[in-house]
Each structure stands twice: as structure tokens, then as C-alpha cells.
Amino acid sequence: MERPAISTAATASPLFARLCEPATLRAAWAKVQANAGAAGGDGVTVERFAYVADSQIEMLARGLRDGSYRPGPARRVLIPKKGGGERPLDIPCVSDRVVQAAAALVLDPVLDAEMEPSSFAYRRGRSVAQAVARVAALRRQGFDHVVDGDIRAYFETIPHERLISRLERSVDDARLVDLVWLWLECYSLTGRGVPQGSPISPLLANLYLDDVDAAIESRGVRLVRFADDFLLLCRGRPVAEDALERMRDLLAEHGLALHPDKTRIVDFTEGFRFLGHVFVRSLVVQEVGADETPEEDAVAAAEAVLARAQAQGRDAPTEDDGAEDTDEAPGRHARGLVPVYVIEPGARLEARRTRLAVVDRLGRVADLPPAAIDRIELGPEADAGLDALDLAAAHGIEVLRTNGHGEVTGRWEPEAPARAALHLAQARLVLDPERRRALAQTLVEAKVRNQRAYLHRLNRERRDPEIAATLVKLSRLVRRFRAPMAIDEAMGREGEAAALYWSALARCLPPAFALPRRRRRERRDPVNLLLDIAASRLAREVRSQASRVGLHLGFGVLHETREGHDALVHDLMEEFRQPLAEAFVLTAIARGQIRPEHVRSEGEAVSLTREGWAALLRAWEGWVARPIAAPNGERMLWRRLILHQAHAFARHALEGAPYAPYVMDY
């Protein structure tokens, strides 16, 4: 499979070209070699790299220029903090540290020139001593109160998209920005955090807070910041209280938060500690033996701790990334209506007075209370009596006839609710070019965001750099939706995203379930068959809930409104395809719920065996019985969430209320 290039730029831009120069990479290698750090995830030490440094640097330069460079695996260790606890450290491979150090060499002059003078950490020509002197000078100028603050888990919580947006404001170089984005994707799998262990991370961490640095200083407030530790020096306690609230709000705007146990308001009379010094009245005393000063070279300091641990014959503690299953029990949530599958050969749906029943070929009866049924699906070798169909219709239950592929071949449905006002509102929505365009764009954006989020989840354990490269390109596409676009353009972006998504998704499947290419309705391999079936099941779920709300199924905004086509169903499916249908298929395969023997060949096509159908339906019902968080934050089961979204769509058509699609988190 061909590797996707990080950027589509035809030629390297000036900054990126400078990074790719062997001279820059050799200078970066000299810095990495001087730090004498440990090996990354590939096990190659600095000493081993030194033997082949010249050829490796030439190879790195070529890979960067032609877009084939991919980061190797980082090594995750936990470094003890001086004040207790542990700090996660991702140690990149030596080759990646060389490239990252080269990026820092190229970017530092550009970015440092823009940074506020109140920032003192990780900057050439700035030091702890200068920060301490600045605090003492401000005290002499009458700044007598201090907000002594700390940002909670700062390096681990920097949002990637906002960081990239800030970087792009200063660096007009798509290839270099995409390279930084690729490192973020490879080392952090949550869409947040810069790796503490990367030579470029301190520069990025300082850059991200630069807007906060600029905004917080005002009349009566001065900032002294060293990484995520800061002081707001104020004239008077009321000013300090206002400054604390302002800082809390500014950090929240940037997706960050103050550490509640390490943030307080004090004055110089009480005294406080900062950067390994005690400030009391006019005295400044450097502490001895209890110095908690942040190291000015974070990478070198972490490497030193690791080296000391290894010298003592032990390795630094490795993070246990096995996540506890925190899904809540489905029983905590109202189950609502459920479908009934009558698929066994010879089974028959019958009416038993006021209740429905399924009678198998041996005469055994399963009693079905109509009030609990969402819909009934009849397999090709099952049957139903007319009295049962009448009873189902009286209770508003749809009955579907399906073939051996699970496709609907017939439908008995109750009379739709009279919702003329809603149907007219839908028609007005479809006929209003701007409202239709805006909603269609919203639906496409949600789908692409969910594709990206699902790949993020799949790549948590794999840490596949090719998937990481795809995520960078998908993130680029997501950001294009910030500007209004015509429906045709949105569909074009959807096509671009789909090509990237399916190629990456195929890398996550086992050999027995290979996906050479996504072909809808061409069931030549098991995965395409399963994906089509899952999409069909999703369509039924959406159709059922949309009908219950009374929506006209034919009025589409993204999909064309035409006779005999449930365009609205396809519209509402877009936000659920990845989290519900496609995730179901990959999970059922991974859990062994669907196995190769469940699929049989029929000439050039494939189909499910009877056992395969039963296994798929059991797996599907278990999948949709999981609680999920709706856009409004409420926990509910999937069917109720689809119903919730159908109601939201109706409100959007009737009242113009904003429509918020379901979007997965990482």
C-alpha cells in the first residue's frame, strides 16, 4: 500500500527546505548526541546511531523531502516528580529526535521573537535567575499580592487543533506544520498533549500559552511564567482576585485548567516559594535541599533521571496503559423498544388475543408484549398470519420481510402520524438554499469528524504511523469546514475523507477479514458484506425512529429528494455510520462474534450462513444496548439517541433550532 505523503505541496517551502538540509540535521544530531539520552521504542541507542549517523541523516533528509518519513515508536516511561507523583515521558527514537531537534532549530528564531517577555522557561538567553530577579523588581514597584498558580497537567492537556492553529499564525509552511502535527498524532492518542521527551515540545508549549501571556497582563497585573508555573503580581488583593478569575477564564478558553491545590493568592508578608526560591517581604532566599525549580532543559533533565535509574540496574517505571472498562451497565438506562427477529425456518408470527407470539416449527411459543416491540423482521423462511399483521399495525409496529441478505423486500407499516406542519417545514428547509447548504455541511463535517475520531480510537494500541499520517490529512479536511461551502464542495471533501479513511481502516483488520477496497453493494468479500449489512441495519433503526417522530422520510438536505428514496434516512445516518455501523463490524470481528466460517461463497459474491445471521443479530443487539452520551450530555441507549436526534431534526425544521449532530470524542 502506497504511503500517503504528509503534505500535497509540490515543493518544499523555505523553512521546511532548511529543516531537510543535511547541515541542519547534522547540527541537530550534535545536540542529540551531546544529551546522550536513552533509546526510543526501536531500541537504537545514541551510541549505535553514531556508527551510521551520516547515512541515517541522508536517509532522513530524503524521507522528509519526498514525504515518506514516518516517526518510529516512542518509549513511554514515568519519571518521578520532585513533589511526588510521576510525569509521563515519551522518548522518541534517536532518528526522530534528530528531526525534531532540527525542527526546533528552524522554528525557534521565528517563534521566540513573537513570545512575550513574561515567559522565561526553555528560551535561549532566559533563565530561572532572570525570572527571580523580575519578581523581586516587581515587588519593589508596589506589586504586593501574588496569584501563585500552576496549570493542571499542562503538557498532557494541550489541545492539538488549537496548538496547530496557533502555530499556523506564525509559520506559513504547511509541510512543516504537518510534520509537527504528525508527531502529535503519533505520541498522543487523545487529541491532546505534547510529548515530554521531544526536543520540540518545550517550544510548542511556550507558543501555546503566548496568547494567554499577552492577554493577562493589564493595569495593575504583571506575569512571570516558567513553563506551567506562574505568578501574577498585583497591586492589592482585589486586583489579585480579579486576575485569578481572569486567568481561570483564559485557560478555559484554551482548553486548560488551573491546578486547584497549587493555585492561591498570597502576599509578600506571608511569603511563598517559586522556582526554588523563598520570597518573604523584601528577602529572596534560594532553598537548599528542597529545590523544586523546573529544569531549564526538560529533555536533558528527564534523560538524566532515566540514565540514573538505568545506572542503578533498573528501568524507569513503565506506564500501564490498560484502561479499565468504565462503560455503565445498560440496565441503568431505559431500554425503550426493541426489534423482534423471526428468522428461523418454519417460524410463524401469530396473534394470541391482545398479544403477539412467535411459534417455532416444534410448536414452542415465545410471548411478545406489543408495547415493548419496535419492529418485527421476518426472514425468508418465516411467516406471519394476517391477524398478527393487523395486531402489529394497531400497535404502531412495523413488520418487514427480508431476504437471505437481510435486505427489505416488503413492508407492513402502520399509518403515519398526521404531521402536515412538520412536513411543510421540512419542505421549506429543503427549498431554502442557504439553510439546506448549512445543514448539509454540518452533516458532512460530523461524518468526517467521526471518521477521524474512530481512527484515533483504533490507533490507540496500534500506534501505526501510517494511520497517524492519515489523521493529519483528515484533520486538515475537518478544518476546511470552518468556512461555508456549497453542497457539491462538501460532498467532494467527503469523498477525499472516505478515500483516506477506508485505506487506514483496512490496516486495522486481521488477515482473514482483509478489505482490499470499500465497494458498496458489491459483496465480493466478507468485510464489504458485513459493512453493507451493518449500514442496512442502521438504516432500519433510523427509519423507525424518524417515522415515530412523524418526519417525512423523502425530504433530504444532503441526499437528493426523489421518488421512492428515503433521503432523510440517509441524511440522519451520516453521523452514526462510524460509531454505530462500522465500529460494530470491526468490534464483532475482533471479539470473534463473527468468524470466517460464518461467511459462504456464492460464485463471485459471499453471504452469511444461517449461523452467521444469528450471530450477527445477537452481536448487533448487544452493540446497540450500550449507553452513550447524547449531544446534550445525557446518557442514553443508541436507539433512544437516534430518536433524540430525529426530534432535534424536527425542531430544526419547525423552529430553526440549531442542529447538533452526534460527534465521537477520542
Side-chain angles (χ1 to χ4, degrees):
M1 187 176 296
E2 185 179 353
R3 288 184 170 188
I6 298 301
S7 172
T8 57
T11 58
S13 49
L15 284 176
F16 187 79
R18 198 181 313 157
L19 184 154
C20 297
E21 291 174 1
T24 306
L25 292 167
R26 280 193 289 271
W29 158 237
K31 291 176 69 68
V32 172
Q33 189 176 29
N35 284 337
D42 61 358
V44 176
T45 63
V46 172
E47 292 77 11
R48 283 178 57 191
F49 189 89
Y51 287 114
V52 292
D54 289 341
S55 61
Q56 286 296 306
I57 285 172
E58 292 293 336
M59 187 182 303
L60 287 171
R62 285 195 302 272
L64 288 165
R65 285 193 295 265
D66 65 22
S68 62
Y69 164 79
R70 295 291 182 270
R75 182 182 175 200
R76 170 60 66 92
V77 296
L78 299 176
I79 299 298
K81 293 182 180 180
K82 294 178 182 177
E86 295 172 321
R87 174 183 292 108
L89 175 73
D90 288 302
I91 304 178
C93 300
V94 175
S95 58
D96 296 322
R97 298 209 295 272
V98 170
V99 182
Q100 291 161 17
L105 287 173
V106 170
L107 285 172
D108 184 76
V110 177
L111 301 181
D112 191 78
E114 298 184 2
M115 292 183 191
E116 295 296 310
S118 52
S119 170
F120 289 88
Y122 318 131
R123 298 178 66 183
R124 191 172 296 130
R126 289 176 168 267
S127 65
V128 168
Q130 290 177 330
V132 170
R134 174 68 171 158
V135 175
L138 289 169
R139 188 261 174 199
R140 291 193 296 271
Q141 295 171 26
F143 291 83
D144 54 356
H145 279 71
V146 171
V147 177
D148 180 6
D150 179 271
I151 303 172
R152 182 191 301 205
Y154 174 55
F155 277 79
E156 296 98 306
T157 56
I158 299 174
H160 289 176
E161 284 198 56
R162 292 179 181 177
L163 172 59
I164 291 298
S165 295
R166 177 62 188 88
L167 181 61
E168 286 178 325
R169 279 167 43 196
S170 301
V171 179
D172 184 17
D173 188 325
R175 293 200 70 179
L176 184 48
V177 171
D178 280 358
L179 181 62
V180 172
W181 211 338
L182 177 63
W183 289 323
L184 297 178
E185 290 288 1
C186 283
Y187 300 143
S188 175
L189 307 174
T190 62
R192 288 177 170 269
V194 296
Q196 296 188 66
S198 166
I200 201 171
S201 291
L203 183 61
L204 297 176
N206 266 339
L207 177 70
Y208 189 66
L209 282 179
D210 187 59
D211 288 344
V212 176
D213 295 345
I216 193 61
E217 288 208 346
S218 61
R219 189 173 181 179
V221 178
R222 296 292 183 269
L223 169 70
V224 177
R225 181 174 64 81
F226 202 101
D228 53 352
D229 295 322
F230 65 87
L231 298 180
L232 296 177
L233 293 105
C234 309
R235 288 191 169 104
R237 187 174 185 89
V239 177
E241 291 172 348
D242 289 343
L244 175 57
E245 289 307 308
R246 175 67 175 143
M247 180 59 105
R248 182 177 285 114
D249 292 343
L250 280 170
L251 291 175
E253 291 172 13
H254 287 74
L256 304 170
L258 288 170
H259 196 300
D261 299 328
K262 297 182 181 181
T263 302
R264 59 182 184 140
I265 296 175
V266 295
D267 61 33
F268 280 86
T269 303
E270 299 174 68
F272 57 92
R273 290 176 170 83
F274 183 62
L275 302 181
H277 291 71
V278 177
F279 296 80
V280 182
R281 297 185 177 87
S282 60
L283 296 176
V284 180
V285 181
Q286 185 171 2
E287 294 186 279
V288 178
D291 186 4
E292 295 193 13
T293 305
E295 298 287 351
E296 294 185 48
D297 186 340
V299 179
E303 293 283 13
V305 173
L306 185 64
R308 287 196 298 271
Q310 292 174 330
Q312 295 169 9
R314 59 184 178 83
D315 209 350
T318 303
E319 178 186 47
D320 179 11
D321 56 1
E324 182 181 357
D325 186 0
T326 57
D327 280 352
E328 300 176 50
R332 290 189 56 188
H333 306 270
R335 287 187 174 273
L337 305 179
V338 296
V340 172
Y341 303 102
V342 186
I343 59 174
E344 287 295 319
R348 179 177 174 81
L349 180 70
E350 296 182 355
R352 300 286 176 100
R353 296 185 180 178
T354 61
R355 300 170 77 86
L356 292 165
V358 175
V359 182
D360 69 12
R361 57 187 173 184
L362 299 178
R364 293 173 297 195
V365 178
D367 187 56
L368 305 174
I373 300 174
D374 174 60
R375 65 182 184 276
I376 299 171
E377 297 189 18
L378 300 175
E381 299 179 66
D383 197 6
L386 288 176
D387 52 350
L389 297 177
D390 288 341
L391 181 59
H395 285 276
I397 301 170
E398 183 181 40
V399 181
L400 307 175
R401 168 69 74 184
T402 63
N403 61 18
H405 296 288
E407 298 167 326
V408 176
T409 58
R411 177 178 281 115
W412 293 267
E413 55 187 342
E415 185 177 357
R419 297 297 303 272
L422 176 56
H423 294 174
L424 284 172
Q426 287 182 256
R428 293 190 189 100
L429 171 61
V430 172
L431 294 173
D432 185 322
E434 177 54 26
R435 289 184 67 198
R436 181 186 176 192
R437 183 211 61 75
L439 183 55
Q441 180 175 338
T442 296
L443 295 174
V444 174
E445 180 182 359
K447 180 178 181 179
V448 177
R449 283 185 176 275
N450 284 340
Q451 288 173 334
R452 180 182 63 170
Y454 186 45
L455 286 179
H456 262 289
R457 293 187 179 190
L458 290 173
N459 206 33
R460 282 176 183 167
E461 295 183 2
R462 290 173 179 81
R463 294 182 176 267
D464 185 334
E466 295 300 327
I467 296 178
T470 296
L471 287 167
V472 171
K473 298 174 87 63
L474 283 174
S475 293
R476 283 274 179 207
L477 285 172
V478 166
R479 297 178 74 202
R480 292 185 182 180
F481 287 101
R482 294 177 180 176
M485 60 179 64
I487 294 177
D488 288 346
E489 183 183 358
M491 295 292 283
R493 300 299 180 205
E494 180 187 35
E496 290 180 53
L500 293 166
Y501 170 73
W502 289 113
S503 176
L505 199 72
R507 301 177 66 87
C508 303
L509 287 161
F513 285 93
L515 180 64
R517 182 182 175 187
R518 177 66 176 119
R519 297 184 179 90
R520 288 182 173 82
R521 293 177 292 278
E522 291 186 25
R523 295 153 183 174
R524 300 179 183 178
D525 60 84
V527 178
N528 272 300
L529 169 68
L530 292 169
L531 289 168
D532 280 353
I533 292 172
S536 175
R537 304 229 63 81
L538 174 60
R540 277 173 231 180
E541 304 288 357
V542 171
R543 191 182 195 280
S544 176
Q545 306 307 334
S547 297
R548 182 166 285 112
V549 172
L551 287 160
H552 193 297
L553 304 180
F555 289 139
V557 293
L558 179 60
H559 296 85
E560 182 185 358
T561 299
R562 66 177 188 270
E563 293 293 336
H565 179 60
D566 289 344
L568 176 67
V569 172
H570 293 280
D571 282 355
L572 293 178
M573 285 175 62
E574 294 301 306
E575 63 199 82
F576 294 110
R577 287 184 182 275
Q578 290 74 41
L580 198 48
E582 289 149 21
F584 160 71
V585 171
L586 268 70
T587 303
I589 290 172
R591 292 177 176 174
Q593 295 168 305
I594 301 295
R595 301 187 296 276
E597 59 265 29
H598 287 147
V599 182
R600 64 185 171 212
S601 297
E602 295 181 343
E604 293 186 357
V606 295
S607 64
L608 286 179
T609 64
R610 184 181 303 166
E611 294 77 12
W613 269 111
L616 182 141
L617 292 177
R618 284 194 301 271
W620 176 262
E621 287 305 311
W623 187 250
V624 298
R626 298 171 304 117
I628 200 72
N632 65 0
E634 183 182 350
R635 298 282 289 178
M636 56 184 69
L637 302 185
W638 277 108
R639 286 193 177 100
R640 188 179 164 206
L641 176 57
I642 295 172
L643 179 63
H644 176 277
Q645 293 301 92
H647 277 296
F649 192 95
R651 287 193 299 272
H652 177 76
L654 285 166
E655 306 163 10
Y659 182 76
Y662 171 73
V663 178
M664 300 172 71
D665 59 24
Y666 290 178

